[in-house]
Amino acid sequence: MILGLIMALIAGTLVSLQNIFNSKVNEHAGSWATTTVVLGMGFLASLGIGLIFEGKKLFILQNMQPWYWVSGVIGVGVVTCLVQGIRLLGPTYAIAIVMTSQLTFALLFDSLGWLGLEQIPFTFKQLLGVLIIVAGVIVFKLGGVREKKLSRRKLVQSQNDSTQVQKLEI
């Protein structure tokens, strides 16, 4: 259990770090180049590490359902959408929405037993947890809107004050 928690925390940290790097690459290279670089580097890293730890067993893919191969295509969608979401919304807001979406769909897939998952009974506690997270994202976004309005007002007031001072000097 502890190892699982540690690994999940590390994964969350790495995803956040990767998103920052991806958005910086996207500023210079564009969305599709970013996706190509990210997934290409991921492929090379996975291949190298896989060969080191698993050797030839890396290529034994018996009893795998054909639709699982779609995972790589899904990865293209993940990287592309995340890079654009961060560009358009900012990292914190985009990641909050991604996490909420992940949790919601994980709950749906678990509860319905879709895609070969063991069906886990849906409970009110699970729904409440997702709703609290959604409420947190809404509060986060609304709080940011208020701060932006205050910041804009201060900027406009500062510009007005500068204009008035310039008029007085003339």
Side-chain angles (χ1 to χ4, degrees):
M1 170 95 167
I2 297 295
L3 182 59
L5 289 171
I6 291 169
M7 296 301 273
L9 287 170
I10 291 170
T13 303
L14 292 175
V15 167
S16 295
L17 192 59
Q18 181 189 29
N19 290 326
I20 292 167
F21 287 4
N22 291 355
S23 68
K24 294 300 181 186
V25 171
N26 187 52
E27 289 175 11
H28 301 283
S31 182
W32 289 111
T34 299
T35 303
T36 303
V37 168
V38 167
L39 295 177
M41 295 297 291
F43 168 75
L44 293 175
S46 296
L47 181 63
I49 294 168
L51 287 171
I52 290 169
F53 285 100
E54 294 183 15
K56 292 180 182 177
K57 288 190 275 183
L58 176 68
F59 301 105
I60 300 173
L61 304 172
Q62 296 173 343
N63 302 323
M64 191 168 77
Q65 298 294 334
W67 60 81
Y68 293 156
W69 290 91
V70 175
S71 176
V73 176
I74 292 171
V76 171
V78 170
V79 172
T80 302
C81 291
L82 210 47
V83 165
Q84 291 304 313
I86 289 171
R87 185 179 65 79
L88 296 169
L89 301 172
T92 307
Y93 189 46
I95 297 299
I97 292 170
V98 168
M99 287 179 12
T100 303
S101 176
Q102 266 185 294
L103 187 58
T104 301
F105 279 94
L107 177 60
L108 179 69
F109 295 154
D110 277 348
S111 297
L112 297 175
W114 286 356
L115 303 172
L117 296 174
E118 180 182 334
Q119 189 171 6
I120 297 173
F122 180 79
T123 66
F124 179 73
K125 287 181 189 179
Q126 293 168 329
L127 176 62
L128 186 61
V130 170
L131 292 176
I132 288 171
I133 291 172
V134 170
V137 171
I138 291 169
V139 167
F140 176 81
K141 179 58 179 168
L142 292 178
V145 168
R146 183 172 175 239
E147 290 173 12
K148 282 182 183 176
K149 285 181 181 178
L150 288 174
S151 178
R152 281 189 201 135
R153 284 183 192 156
K154 287 179 183 178
L155 178 63
V156 168
Q157 183 63 38
S158 173
Q159 289 172 344
N160 289 342
D161 291 346
S162 295
T163 304
Q164 288 175 358
V165 168
Q166 288 174 352
K167 286 180 182 177
L168 289 174
E169 290 175 352
I170 295 175

